[in-house]
Amino acid sequence: EGKMMKEGIKTVIVGKPNAGKSSLMNVLVGEERAIVTDIAGTTRDILEETIVLHGISLRMIDTAGIRDTEDKVEQIGVGRAKEYAKDADLILYVVDSSRPLDENDEEIMEILEDKKAIVLLNKTDLEQKVTEEMLKEKLSHPVVSISAKEEQGIDVLEKKIKNMPNYFDIRDACSDKSKPFCICWKKAGKNGAPSVGQVAVIPIEYFYELLKK
Protein backbone atom coordinates (compact mmCIF):
# COMPACT_ATOMS: atom_id res chain seq x y z
CA GLU A 1 0.00 0.00 0.00
CA GLY A 2 2.91 2.32 0.72
CA LYS A 3 4.27 1.60 -2.75
CA MET A 4 0.86 2.37 -4.29
CA MET A 5 0.74 5.68 -2.45
CA LYS A 6 4.26 6.61 -3.59
CA GLU A 7 4.18 5.44 -7.22
CA GLY A 8 0.47 5.91 -7.88
CA ILE A 9 -2.37 3.50 -8.52
CA LYS A 10 -1.30 1.20 -11.36
CA THR A 11 -4.14 1.87 -13.81
CA VAL A 12 -4.08 -0.31 -16.93
CA ILE A 13 -6.17 0.49 -20.01
CA VAL A 14 -7.26 -2.65 -21.88
CA GLY A 15 -9.59 -3.49 -24.74
CA LYS A 16 -9.72 -4.80 -28.29
CA PRO A 17 -7.71 -3.06 -31.01
CA ASN A 18 -9.16 0.26 -32.13
CA ALA A 19 -11.55 0.45 -29.16
CA GLY A 20 -10.28 3.91 -28.24
CA LYS A 21 -7.73 3.07 -25.54
CA SER A 22 -5.07 5.46 -26.83
CA SER A 23 -7.63 8.24 -27.33
CA LEU A 24 -8.68 7.79 -23.70
CA MET A 25 -5.04 7.89 -22.59
CA ASN A 26 -4.51 11.17 -24.44
CA VAL A 27 -7.64 12.74 -22.96
CA LEU A 28 -6.70 11.81 -19.40
CA VAL A 29 -3.07 12.86 -19.80
CA GLY A 30 -4.09 16.09 -21.51
CA GLU A 31 -1.77 15.72 -24.50
CA GLU A 32 -1.17 13.39 -27.44
CA ARG A 33 1.19 10.86 -25.87
CA ALA A 34 -0.25 7.87 -27.74
CA ILE A 35 -0.52 7.48 -31.52
CA VAL A 36 -4.15 7.30 -32.64
CA THR A 37 -5.17 5.94 -36.07
CA ASP A 38 -8.06 3.99 -37.58
CA ILE A 39 -5.71 1.05 -38.14
CA ALA A 40 -6.26 -1.76 -35.64
CA GLY A 41 -3.12 -2.83 -33.80
CA THR A 42 -1.35 0.55 -33.92
CA THR A 43 -0.34 0.30 -30.24
CA ARG A 44 2.05 -2.63 -29.87
CA ASP A 45 3.92 -1.81 -26.71
CA ILE A 46 3.33 -0.31 -23.30
CA LEU A 47 3.04 3.45 -22.82
CA GLU A 48 3.14 4.89 -19.28
CA GLU A 49 2.30 8.32 -17.92
CA THR A 50 1.56 9.50 -14.37
CA ILE A 51 -1.32 11.89 -13.77
CA VAL A 52 -2.93 13.36 -10.64
CA LEU A 53 -6.70 13.18 -10.59
CA HIS A 54 -8.57 14.88 -7.72
CA GLY A 55 -5.44 14.50 -5.62
CA ILE A 56 -5.05 10.81 -6.49
CA SER A 57 -1.88 9.77 -8.32
CA LEU A 58 -2.57 7.37 -11.20
CA ARG A 59 0.16 5.52 -13.06
CA MET A 60 -1.64 5.27 -16.41
CA ILE A 61 -0.61 2.41 -18.71
CA ASP A 62 -1.84 2.15 -22.30
CA THR A 63 -1.56 -1.36 -23.77
CA ALA A 64 -1.83 -3.19 -27.08
CA GLY A 65 -5.29 -4.27 -28.18
CA ILE A 66 -6.08 -7.82 -27.06
CA ARG A 67 -6.96 -10.16 -29.92
CA ASP A 68 -5.80 -13.32 -31.67
CA THR A 69 -3.17 -12.37 -34.23
CA GLU A 70 -0.56 -14.02 -36.44
CA ASP A 71 1.71 -10.98 -36.24
CA LYS A 72 4.68 -11.96 -34.05
CA VAL A 73 5.40 -8.43 -32.84
CA GLU A 74 1.74 -7.80 -32.03
CA GLN A 75 1.60 -11.12 -30.16
CA ILE A 76 4.32 -9.86 -27.82
CA GLY A 77 2.35 -6.66 -27.20
CA VAL A 78 -0.85 -8.63 -26.51
CA GLY A 79 1.00 -10.86 -24.06
CA ARG A 80 2.36 -7.85 -22.22
CA ALA A 81 -1.10 -6.27 -22.09
CA LYS A 82 -2.49 -9.37 -20.37
CA GLU A 83 0.37 -9.49 -17.86
CA TYR A 84 0.01 -5.81 -16.98
CA ALA A 85 -3.74 -6.23 -16.57
CA LYS A 86 -3.31 -9.16 -14.19
CA ASP A 87 -0.94 -7.07 -12.05
CA ALA A 88 -3.03 -3.87 -12.15
CA ASP A 89 -4.47 -2.04 -9.15
CA LEU A 90 -7.26 -0.75 -11.39
CA ILE A 91 -8.31 -1.73 -14.93
CA LEU A 92 -10.08 0.58 -17.37
CA TYR A 93 -11.73 -1.76 -19.88
CA VAL A 94 -12.59 0.15 -23.05
CA VAL A 95 -15.41 -1.33 -25.14
CA ASP A 96 -16.16 -0.15 -28.66
CA SER A 97 -19.93 0.29 -28.57
CA SER A 98 -20.12 0.39 -32.39
CA ARG A 99 -18.90 -3.23 -32.72
CA PRO A 100 -20.54 -6.38 -31.30
CA LEU A 101 -18.88 -8.19 -28.43
CA ASP A 102 -16.78 -11.19 -29.49
CA GLU A 103 -14.41 -13.85 -28.15
CA ASN A 104 -11.73 -11.22 -27.51
CA ASP A 105 -14.09 -9.34 -25.21
CA GLU A 106 -14.91 -12.60 -23.43
CA GLU A 107 -11.21 -13.17 -22.77
CA ILE A 108 -10.81 -9.65 -21.38
CA MET A 109 -13.87 -10.12 -19.16
CA GLU A 110 -12.24 -13.21 -17.68
CA ILE A 111 -9.17 -11.13 -16.80
CA LEU A 112 -11.45 -8.65 -15.01
CA GLU A 113 -12.72 -11.29 -12.58
CA ASP A 114 -11.64 -10.46 -9.01
CA LYS A 115 -10.03 -7.21 -10.24
CA LYS A 116 -11.01 -3.63 -9.50
CA ALA A 117 -12.21 -2.26 -12.82
CA ILE A 118 -14.34 0.33 -14.54
CA VAL A 119 -15.92 -0.58 -17.87
CA LEU A 120 -15.99 2.24 -20.41
CA LEU A 121 -18.55 2.03 -23.19
CA ASN A 122 -16.75 4.15 -25.77
CA LYS A 123 -17.76 5.70 -29.10
CA THR A 124 -21.25 6.54 -27.88
CA ASP A 125 -21.31 9.22 -30.59
CA LEU A 126 -21.74 6.36 -33.12
CA GLU A 127 -24.57 3.88 -33.69
CA GLN A 128 -24.45 1.44 -30.79
CA LYS A 129 -24.16 -2.34 -31.15
CA VAL A 130 -23.36 -2.73 -27.44
CA THR A 131 -25.33 -1.10 -24.62
CA GLU A 132 -24.73 -0.49 -20.92
CA GLU A 133 -27.42 -3.06 -20.13
CA MET A 134 -25.63 -5.75 -22.16
CA LEU A 135 -22.38 -5.14 -20.27
CA LYS A 136 -24.08 -5.06 -16.87
CA GLU A 137 -25.57 -8.49 -17.63
CA LYS A 138 -22.05 -9.88 -18.08
CA LEU A 139 -20.06 -7.88 -15.53
CA SER A 140 -20.48 -6.67 -11.96
CA HIS A 141 -18.15 -3.70 -12.48
CA PRO A 142 -19.46 -0.14 -12.92
CA VAL A 143 -20.12 0.90 -16.52
CA VAL A 144 -19.61 4.46 -17.80
CA SER A 145 -20.63 5.65 -21.28
CA ILE A 146 -18.05 7.91 -22.89
CA SER A 147 -16.81 9.27 -26.19
CA ALA A 148 -13.05 9.68 -25.88
CA LYS A 149 -12.97 11.37 -29.28
CA GLU A 150 -15.56 13.97 -28.25
CA GLU A 151 -14.32 14.02 -24.63
CA GLN A 152 -17.81 13.20 -23.36
CA GLY A 153 -18.41 11.34 -20.09
CA ILE A 154 -14.83 11.86 -18.91
CA ASP A 155 -16.04 13.85 -15.89
CA VAL A 156 -18.20 10.88 -14.84
CA LEU A 157 -15.21 8.55 -15.20
CA GLU A 158 -13.08 10.86 -13.05
CA LYS A 159 -15.70 10.84 -10.30
CA LYS A 160 -15.87 7.04 -10.44
CA ILE A 161 -12.10 6.80 -10.01
CA LYS A 162 -12.17 9.31 -7.18
CA ASN A 163 -14.76 7.24 -5.32
CA MET A 164 -13.28 3.81 -6.06
CA PRO A 165 -13.28 1.76 -2.83
CA ASN A 166 -10.34 -0.02 -1.18
CA TYR A 167 -7.73 2.62 -1.93
CA PHE A 168 -6.03 5.01 0.43
CA ASP A 169 -7.84 8.30 0.26
CA ILE A 170 -5.28 10.90 1.26
CA ARG A 171 -6.84 14.21 2.24
CA ASP A 172 -5.27 17.62 1.67
CA ALA A 173 -3.86 17.67 5.19
CA CYS A 174 -1.46 14.89 4.21
CA SER A 175 0.44 17.14 1.81
CA ASP A 176 0.89 19.88 4.39
CA LYS A 177 3.79 19.16 6.75
CA SER A 178 2.70 21.99 9.04
CA LYS A 179 -0.29 19.89 10.14
CA PRO A 180 0.59 17.21 12.72
CA PHE A 181 -1.87 14.53 11.62
CA CYS A 182 -3.49 13.16 8.50
CA ILE A 183 -6.47 10.91 8.01
CA CYS A 184 -6.17 7.80 5.84
CA TRP A 185 -8.56 5.02 5.06
CA LYS A 186 -8.17 2.01 2.82
CA LYS A 187 -11.69 0.66 2.60
CA ALA A 188 -14.72 2.71 1.68
CA GLY A 189 -18.35 2.04 2.39
CA LYS A 190 -21.40 3.34 0.55
CA ASN A 191 -20.90 6.40 -1.63
CA GLY A 192 -17.15 6.35 -0.93
CA ALA A 193 -17.57 7.09 2.79
CA PRO A 194 -15.12 5.40 5.17
CA SER A 195 -16.30 2.17 6.74
CA VAL A 196 -16.35 1.70 10.50
CA GLY A 197 -12.98 0.57 11.78
CA GLN A 198 -11.17 1.48 8.56
CA VAL A 199 -10.27 5.08 9.40
CA ALA A 200 -6.84 5.82 10.84
CA VAL A 201 -5.57 9.14 12.18
CA ILE A 202 -1.79 8.95 12.05
CA PRO A 203 1.09 11.35 12.73
CA ILE A 204 2.12 13.12 9.55
CA GLU A 205 5.73 11.96 10.09
CA TYR A 206 4.60 8.33 9.95
CA PHE A 207 2.68 9.03 6.76
CA TYR A 208 5.85 10.24 5.07
CA GLU A 209 7.68 7.14 6.31
CA LEU A 210 4.98 5.03 4.60
CA LEU A 211 5.72 6.79 1.33
CA LYS A 212 9.35 5.69 1.53
CA LYS A 213 8.49 1.99 1.79
Side-chain angles (χ1 to χ4, degrees):
E1 290 168 337
K3 182 178 180 182
M4 184 189 297
M5 292 162 65
K6 180 170 67 175
E7 298 182 357
I9 297 171
K10 187 175 182 181
T11 307
V12 179
I13 305 174
V14 300
K16 292 189 300 189
N18 210 25
K21 300 182 300 299
S22 295
S23 294
L24 175 66
M25 177 77 162
N26 289 339
V27 170
L28 292 176
V29 171
E31 59 180 291
E32 293 189 10
R33 288 285 285 110
I35 298 172
V36 178
T37 74
D38 293 329
I39 303 172
T42 299
T43 303
R44 298 193 173 199
D45 206 351
I46 303 301
L47 179 64
E48 295 191 30
E49 189 75 36
T50 299
I51 66 172
V52 177
L53 192 66
H54 296 291
I56 302 171
S57 178
L58 301 175
R59 182 180 158 205
M60 302 297 304
I61 302 172
D62 186 21
T63 64
I66 296 176
R67 67 171 175 180
D68 287 328
T69 176
E70 299 298 324
D71 187 298
K72 298 298 183 183
V73 176
E74 190 177 356
Q75 285 177 359
I76 295 172
V78 171
R80 287 180 178 175
K82 294 176 182 179
E83 289 303 314
Y84 270 77
K86 290 175 182 176
D87 193 42
D89 299 317
L90 172 65
I91 295 176
L92 300 182
Y93 169 33
V94 182
V95 179
D96 182 351
S97 67
S98 67
R99 290 186 289 164
L101 298 174
D102 58 23
E103 65 279 0
N104 296 308
D105 291 291
E106 295 294 338
E107 182 177 7
I108 296 170
M109 290 179 189
E110 289 181 8
I111 296 174
L112 263 58
E113 293 182 5
D114 301 320
K115 299 292 293 185
K116 297 179 183 66
I118 299 175
V119 183
L120 303 175
L121 187 60
N122 192 29
K123 303 187 182 181
T124 52
D125 52 307
L126 303 177
E127 182 179 352
Q128 288 188 292
K129 300 290 180 63
V130 181
T131 64
E132 283 193 27
E133 290 70 25
M134 294 168 63
L135 291 172
K136 288 177 179 177
E137 287 178 1
K138 294 178 173 289
L139 296 162
S140 59
H141 303 289
V143 180
V144 178
S145 293
I146 67 167
S147 171
K149 180 180 178 181
E150 302 296 332
E151 300 188 19
Q152 296 175 351
I154 303 302
D155 56 335
V156 179
L157 168 61
E158 291 179 349
K159 290 177 183 176
K160 286 286 185 184
I161 294 175
K162 179 183 177 182
N163 295 320
M164 281 295 287
N166 300 317
Y167 291 124
F168 275 98
D169 190 344
I170 309 303
R171 293 312 183 191
D172 293 339
C174 297
S175 62
D176 187 350
K177 290 186 178 181
S178 68
K179 298 179 182 179
F181 295 95
C182 67
I183 299 174
C184 304
W185 66 77
K186 58 183 178 179
K187 185 174 181 181
K190 293 182 179 179
N191 301 319
S195 297
V196 176
Q198 294 296 331
V199 179
V201 180
I202 63 174
I204 194 70
E205 293 82 4
Y206 179 62
F207 168 72
Y208 283 101
E209 286 301 315
L210 282 177
L211 293 181
K212 297 176 183 178
K213 294 182 179 181

